[in-house]
Amino acid sequence: MGPGGLAVLLAVLSGLRPAAAAAAASEERPASPAVATPCWRVEQFVVAQECTRCSGFEMKTIPACGPTGFIEKINCASSHRDEYKSCRSAALEAQRFWRFVGSALGVAAAAAALVVLRQRVLDRRALEKVRKQIESI
């Protein structure tokens, strides 16, 4: 399948008409950066305040709180602007990791228990079958 066929397949899967997909693919991104680009994306910055959980008020007023619920305050070097940047908390990531490990171990233990139980049932059936064969002799 060529690149054109792949574009049509993606268009069909995403619900776009083929003509709309071709128009969307031919669109070029503007060369100049957007006006609302945060300064930390285009210049060096220094972290003024470490990553902290957003308060209820900050969640409503600072858009950077939305993606993760944590923000850090940064100072951009060239423009000397203070901005907020979304970040990930190391403690929260560790907690999520160990929760995942615990749930994976729980699922593994449940699967092992089911395998043992199923094997016992199959062994009983095989013994019963052998017993019936011996009785019929």
Side-chain angles (χ1 to χ4, degrees):
M1 179 179 294
L6 185 59
V8 171
L9 179 64
L10 288 174
V12 170
L13 290 176
S14 66
L16 293 175
R17 296 186 319 262
S26 66
E27 238 178 65
E28 293 182 12
R29 293 189 175 259
S32 63
V35 175
T37 302
C39 67
W40 52 267
R41 289 194 183 223
V42 294
E43 59 185 85
Q44 296 292 323
F45 61 89
V46 176
V47 176
Q49 182 183 9
E50 290 298 319
C51 192
T52 57
R53 183 180 297 273
C54 296
S55 66
F57 177 73
E58 289 173 331
M59 289 291 283
K60 294 176 184 174
T61 57
I62 301 174
C65 283
T68 62
F70 288 85
I71 56 169
E72 62 185 358
K73 186 175 181 179
I74 58 170
N75 295 326
C76 294
S78 302
S79 62
H80 300 291
R81 291 190 332 200
D82 289 340
E83 289 191 10
Y84 290 101
K85 179 180 174 222
S86 183
C87 61
R88 294 179 181 257
S89 167
L92 184 63
E93 292 293 322
Q95 180 184 9
R96 287 181 180 169
F97 170 76
W98 289 112
R99 187 179 302 155
F100 168 75
V101 168
S103 62
L105 288 174
V107 168
L114 287 174
V115 166
V116 168
L117 291 174
R118 178 71 177 150
Q119 189 63 46
R120 286 182 184 173
V121 168
L122 292 175
D123 287 344
R124 273 193 222 118
R125 285 183 186 170
L127 286 174
E128 187 67 27
K129 188 175 182 181
V130 168
R131 189 184 58 81
K132 285 182 181 180
Q133 286 177 349
I134 291 174
E135 285 179 356
S136 69
I137 295 179

